[in-house]
Amino acid sequence: MGNSLMDTYVQVFANRSVWMESAAIEQLHTTARNLQGIRAAVGLPDLHPGRGYPVGAAFFSTGRFYPALVGGDIGCGMALHATSLRVHKTSPSKLEKALGVIDGPLTEALLEEVDMAQLQALAQRCGVATAEALQQSLGTIGGGNHFAELQAVDTLYEEGALDKKCVHLMVHSGSRGLGGTILREHVERFNHDGLAAATPEARAYWQQHEAAIAYAQLNRSMIARRMARALRMELSLVLDISHNHVQRHEWRGESGFLHRKGATPADEGLVVIPGSRGDYSYLVRPASERDEALHSLAHGAGRKWARSDCVGRLKPRFSLADLQQTRFDSAVVCADRELIYEEAPQAYKDVDGVIASLQEAGLLTLVARLRPLLTYKRGAMQCC
DNA sequence: ATGTCC
């Protein structure tokens, strides 16, 4: 039983310059066809194949929603902070030295800043983790495409949008183990069938999902605060936006559910679209009135190569030292030899093509371009 | 993606 092709809107937003895997397009169509109640599926230009469902996509459904479509990293997103550090007073090597290792659990001093009652309440609401477990991974970046990056404002397209003198901090992380546990327990009970709206099961998932969203946001905030402490800088939050979630949503007169799987909301104000760790990131203004891309934008450059192909493709050409610096002379801290190959700029699409695609479709205007000074992926303690 | 899988 599938959805009628006539009633299902499927659209990919990418110009000819963007690397696009046919497997990802197939996943988009298969998902739109096979999950009951899907009315619209949109591929953003960072679209790439995922485990069954594509990443860089948004799906609108009525009557049911699909936790498996959100995936394991519920609440994953981007935060951007302005800092009190002056660009001209610092350098990648200074930053790297001052930062040290920030992978492990938070220290006592930082934990004092955490609202333990909030953590307790989150643990209670999600029902699958203790407050102690949540505290253990709080303030940790994680693996995969997650990172924290200190950046300089390279170009301002909107005058006064950011202070060019200030270093900015971008954090990409999520709910760590919590979201994965919620998804695993859900799939054990319901497979990939999704949940009918307004049932007790739907309400139960919704509560866990809300807890994971809040935990992911708190996690990003604590990552920023531990970096602020190490670098003796003040923070001022510019934005914090999740790109993995499901929301109640109205689309073209129907009310239903909007799933974003690596898709940034276009209806929550300014957002950031990061490039690879050796590329620019963009602060953009979404065209919030436009509905043809399901009120969503790309959440990054998008992978070009599968993780499993990266070491084989890049090791003959690039040493570890090559990958620890970039064309901008920024530093990449990543003590995990496999991860640094998987996350090499070559493994990602060109972010300028991704941005241009969205710009040409009238889905955004540029606000600022940010250039990496130091990207923190994973320090020495955790690896091997 | 992963208090991750070998």
Side-chain angles (χ1 to χ4, degrees), chain A residues 3 9 11 28 31-32 34-44 46-47 53-76 183 186 191-197 202 205-206 209 213 242-251 254-268 291 293-299:
Chain A
N3 301 310
Y9 170 94
Q11 195 72 33
L28 188 73
T31 305
N34 293 347
L35 297 190
Q36 189 194 331
I38 299 268
R39 306 302 305 272
V42 160
L44 287 313
D46 57 334
L47 187 76
Y53 309 117
V55 181
F59 300 90
F60 178 74
S61 66
T62 56
R64 306 180 76 74
F65 67 91
Y66 295 89
L69 214 40
V70 175
D73 198 2
I74 304 164
C76 183
L183 176 66
H186 168 81
N191 302 311
H192 286 229
D193 302 339
L195 297 169
Y205 173 78
W206 213 259
H209 171 275
I213 299 259
S242 152
H243 50 234
N244 282 358
H245 55 240
V246 53
Q247 294 176 341
R248 289 188 187 81
H249 195 82
E250 189 107 354
W251 187 69
E254 279 193 296
S255 57
F257 300 95
L258 179 56
H259 309 69
R260 292 194 180 96
K261 173 69 175 166
T264 298
D267 51 4
E268 292 182 19
D291 68 1
L294 289 174
H295 303 108
S296 301
L297 297 175
H299 81 310

Side-chain angles (χ1 to χ4, degrees), chain A residues 306-317:
Chain A
R307 290 190 176 279
S308 51
D309 293 340
C310 294
V311 173
R313 282 185 147 137
L314 293 171
K315 209 165 192 178
R317 292 164 56 209

Side-chain angles (χ1 to χ4, degrees), chain A residues 303 305-307 309-323 334 336-348:
Chain A
R303 292 200 75 79
W305 297 343
R307 290 190 176 279
D309 293 340
C310 294
V311 173
R313 282 185 147 137
L314 293 171
K315 209 165 192 178
R317 292 164 56 209
F318 300 101
S319 70
L320 270 181
D322 292 334
L323 298 178
C334 185
D336 183 327
R337 327 175 40 96
E338 197 157 296
L339 184 62
I340 199 167
Y341 281 101
E342 289 174 2
E343 291 291 310
Q346 293 85 352
Y348 279 84

